[in-house]
Amino acid sequence: MRELNSILDRITMLTNTMESQYPELYQFLDENPITLPLLPHPEMNKEVMESYLQSLQELLDHHVKTHKNEP
């Protein structure tokens, strides 16, 4: 359970960073197919949450890499 709480904390920190530093990216999180589960009622366990955290991090990394030269 502690590990799951740690993952949730990291997800929260990452989404807060996206919201404050990358609002242009944050606004699309609710509609992003990468972050949406494929199952109608997915089980929320450690593996699922780690995968979600990884997808958020990849999304942010890609955004930063592709938009680093913009003002």
Side-chain angles (χ1 to χ4, degrees):
M1 184 65 143
R2 222 173 241 181
E3 289 180 52
L4 184 57
N5 283 336
S6 174
I7 294 167
L8 290 171
D9 288 343
R10 291 169 44 208
I11 289 171
T12 301
M13 288 174 23
L14 184 57
T15 55
N16 285 339
T17 298
M18 293 169 100
E19 181 180 25
S20 63
Q21 296 179 17
Y22 305 96
E24 70 280 4
L25 178 61
Y26 180 80
Q27 68 183 341
F28 296 111
L29 283 185
D30 289 338
E31 299 175 8
N32 189 329
I34 295 173
T35 61
L36 296 175
L38 297 176
L39 303 173
H41 301 287
E43 181 180 339
M44 293 300 167
N45 59 27
K46 180 183 169 217
E47 290 77 24
V48 170
M49 297 309 287
E50 283 179 337
S51 176
Y52 178 65
L53 175 60
Q54 181 180 358
S55 69
L56 286 174
Q57 187 63 57
E58 289 172 359
L59 186 67
L60 178 58
D61 291 345
H62 176 74
H63 179 77
V64 168
K65 187 165 72 169
T66 59
H67 293 88
K68 66 182 173 186
N69 292 331
E70 292 184 8

